[in-house]
Amino acid sequence: MLALTVSAGNSVAKQAHAAAPIPQLVQKNGKFALMVDGAPFLILGGQANNSSNYPAALDKVWPAIKDMNANTLVMPVAWEQVEPTEGHFDFSFVDTLIKQARAHNVRLGILWFGTWKNTGPSYTPSWVKTDNKRFPRLTNKDGSTSYSLSPLYDATREADKKAYVELVKHLKAIDGQQHTVIILQVENETGVYGAARDYSAKADGLMNQPVPDALVKKLGKQPGNWHQVFGDDADEFFHAWSIARYCDDIAAAGKAVYPLPTYMNDALKDPLNPKSTPGSYASGGPTYNVLDIYKVAAPHIDLLAPDLYTPTSQSYEASLAFYARSDNALYVAESGNKPVYARYIFSTLGRQGIGFDPFGFDYSGYSNYPLGEKTWGPDQVKPFGTVYALFRPLERVWPKLSYEGQVWGVSEPDDHSGQDLDLGPQWKARVTYRQWQFGMPEWDPEHKNGYPEGSEVPSGGVAVAKLSDNEFLVAGINARISFDAGPANKDKGMLLDRVEEGHYDKAGNWVFERVWNGDETDYGLNLTNTPRLLKVRLSTYTK
């Protein structure tokens, strides 16, 4: 009887494990959550370098991901890699990748490098990229042939789709129960440089046809061909529509087999220069000015994500604002790897982002300087690892609070200026930088005491989540946060009723460590280069 009981228990356990739901992106009231194993999950990612997608390179990847405290590795899988000969597929690297990810207790995001990688076909198989007749490239406006493949030809799309679907089938077969792979990127940085669109005869003919009704209705336009409806924007908008439809067809075919969440990433248009010319940026990709087009044309793409390689705070924050929409979950698909980029996870989370994924995290010996760091090793990983160490224990807690409640977050601006947080009618807060733990800045207006060491380079950030009307979770580094009474409490004095430092255990329970009070709270809550997690309870008193 005991043996039967144990057997039955094992069977139930296996069935429960098998019944774990597939990862999905859910939406409620304009908020999003990436659900993994049935609960919200925060991607704390690290993307490996492009050529680390082979078994021999993985030994150089895992140490960096560990040093980074990442919970997700984002890794390319190339079309040329899995289908070097047409119709013959090799997924041995995918098998190795998933096996090793499980051993390292890390989830995976897979990047499909197909028709487009950095707008070009370099990761397509030789039988694709050397056959312009079967797989046509764009025609430039002057009649010359572009480097980029055209999205207007069935042969290219069908070949790409076949390979992508085979990959998704394989993922379902080997990972359909464990869900190591939680998200898929369809293509990489689509679009074209040096032109607004394909200027072939076929493209010109399609431009003269009516704009699809769904797009006309969505944008509130009058019917007509692309030139009539969009005027000077017609070329770029047509190309965006064409690429979006192409990629949506591929994504839809994959989801019919195994519906993992999908996204497309974007090589950005300058958010501070809206008048820049298509082709000077990746025209046709999901730039911020064509997001509405993508939302109509590509319903099987769950989100559109920015690649952020401009370290200045004004530009970075503007891009985050463009992509954090009520119909689009914010996910920083790529970000620079210089230390100044680590702070932006706080802004991303404050905008209810589902994940953050800086680029180039392995010890393969590659450096993308001057875009990234000149040298690369554990010292360069440390700024990201320090911030991730703060949020890794919150990988389930924070996204649940973000999805179900209210969150705020700010990153230190380039000029180190302070930022105000509106926490609702009862409370407000101010975040400041480059302050000592003790004292007020007005005591030393000429800064004779100097600034904390290393603070000349912006690195601070604070994220706040509402736990109840009077209680907040505060996570931060290199910043001071000071609370005050909001409009509803304007005639009352504010006090810090209790400030606890602590952490969350693996079950998501708060674990108290110590109380902050006196010197530690008289001058705001000062978060040094050692990140802290605080639970703050506010109260009032009668003046």
Side-chain angles (χ1 to χ4, degrees), residues 97 127 226 259 291 313 320 322 339 357 424 466-467 511 534 539:
L97 176 65
W127 53 271
W226 289 87
L291 293 183
S313 57
L320 292 180
F322 276 126
D357 179 31
K466 186 176 182 178
L467 301 177
V511 179
L534 305 173
S539 188

Side-chain angles (χ1 to χ4, degrees), residues 394-463:
L394 304 177
E395 65 184 25
R396 296 290 187 176
V397 174
W398 182 271
K400 186 174 189 294
L401 292 171
S402 180
Y403 184 55
E404 297 179 355
Q406 291 178 279
V407 295
W408 302 263
V410 290
S411 304
E412 183 175 1
D414 294 340
D415 64 1
H416 313 286
S417 58
Q419 297 144 313
D420 295 315
L421 302 180
D422 180 356
L423 305 179
Q426 293 177 296
W427 309 109
K428 60 184 179 179
R430 183 163 177 79
V431 179
T432 54
Y433 306 95
R434 304 197 77 188
Q435 297 201 41
W436 300 104
Q437 292 175 273
F438 184 89
M440 303 299 289
E442 53 266 31
W443 295 358
D444 183 21
E446 297 180 0
H447 305 293
K448 293 180 179 179
N449 293 322
Y451 296 99
E453 184 178 356
S455 66
E456 66 276 3
V457 177
S459 62
V462 172

Side-chain angles (χ1 to χ4, degrees), residues 47-299:
Q47 184 174 152
N49 286 299
N50 296 159
S51 298
S52 295
N53 58 333
Y54 288 89
L58 287 176
D59 286 347
K60 303 295 185 181
V61 174
W62 299 118
I65 295 301
K66 181 180 179 181
D67 290 346
M68 192 185 187
N69 295 308
N71 62 18
T72 304
L73 167 64
V74 179
M75 177 67 78
V77 172
W79 186 1
E80 66 174 357
Q81 182 180 17
V82 302
E83 194 185 8
T85 302
E86 187 171 7
H88 299 276
F89 295 94
D90 177 5
F91 295 110
S92 57
F93 168 69
V94 177
D95 295 340
T96 301
L97 176 65
I98 289 176
K99 180 180 179 181
Q100 292 190 16
R102 291 171 181 167
H104 287 87
N105 193 31
V106 169
R107 303 282 183 162
L108 292 170
I110 286 183
L111 314 176
W112 175 242
F113 284 6
T115 301
W116 290 277
K117 198 286 175 189
N118 292 2
T119 73
S122 59
Y123 282 82
T124 61
S126 292
W127 53 271
V128 173
K129 59 189 168 189
T130 61
D131 190 349
N132 286 4
K133 184 175 181 180
R134 182 180 172 193
F135 307 108
R137 296 173 187 262
L138 277 74
T139 299
N140 291 320
K141 199 168 187 177
D142 64 3
S144 62
T145 300
S146 170
Y147 69 94
S148 186
L149 293 173
S150 173
L152 303 179
Y153 295 89
D154 293 343
T156 314
R157 188 186 68 255
E158 290 300 317
D160 189 330
K161 181 167 64 176
K162 179 180 178 181
Y164 178 81
V165 168
E166 289 299 320
L167 169 63
V168 174
K169 285 181 181 177
H170 191 76
L171 292 178
K172 181 180 180 181
I174 67 169
D175 196 45
Q177 303 300 321
Q178 291 184 248
H179 307 139
T180 311
V181 179
I182 59 174
I183 196 165
L184 298 172
Q185 179 183 286
V186 182
E187 310 298 339
N188 177 271
E189 295 188 353
T190 58
V192 62
Y193 291 105
R197 65 168 174 92
D198 185 354
Y199 290 93
S200 65
K202 180 172 185 176
D204 288 344
L206 292 170
M207 286 279 290
N208 288 321
Q209 293 184 8
V211 174
D213 290 340
L215 185 58
V216 170
K217 183 177 180 180
K218 170 70 175 180
L219 300 183
K221 300 287 187 177
Q222 294 297 314
N225 65 32
W226 289 87
H227 299 286
Q228 293 167 337
V229 174
F230 295 115
D232 292 342
D233 294 321
D235 288 350
E236 181 183 11
F237 286 12
F238 168 76
H239 197 44
W241 174 269
S242 301
I243 291 176
R245 293 299 299 152
Y246 183 109
C247 295
D248 187 70
D249 188 47
I250 292 171
K255 284 195 168 188
V257 173
Y258 184 44
L260 284 172
T262 58
Y263 71 99
M264 290 179 65
N265 68 325
D266 175 53
L268 286 184
K269 175 179 179 174
D270 184 350
L272 305 180
N273 183 17
K275 294 183 179 180
S276 52
T277 304
S280 66
Y281 56 88
S283 180
T287 50
Y288 62 82
N289 57 315
V290 297
L291 293 183
D292 286 340
I293 293 174
Y294 267 80
K295 287 299 178 182
V296 176

Side-chain angles (χ1 to χ4, degrees), residues 474-540:
V474 176
I477 186 172
N478 291 330
R480 171 185 288 186
I481 181 168
S482 303
F483 290 90
D484 203 350
N489 291 323
K490 65 180 181 178
D491 297 325
K492 301 177 181 178
M494 189 282 302
L495 60 84
L496 294 170
D497 189 5
R498 184 175 176 87
V499 179
E500 295 183 1
E501 181 179 346
H503 66 275
Y504 282 88
D505 62 21
K506 292 183 179 180
N509 299 309
W510 175 253
V511 179
F512 164 79
E513 295 174 2
R514 63 171 179 160
V515 169
W516 283 24
N517 210 334
D519 290 342
E520 287 81 15
T521 61
D522 286 346
Y523 311 102
L525 306 179
N526 292 280
L527 308 161
T528 66
N529 57 7
T530 299
R532 303 290 184 186
L533 186 65
L534 305 173
K535 184 183 285 189
V536 180
R537 188 170 68 226
L538 305 176
S539 188
T540 61

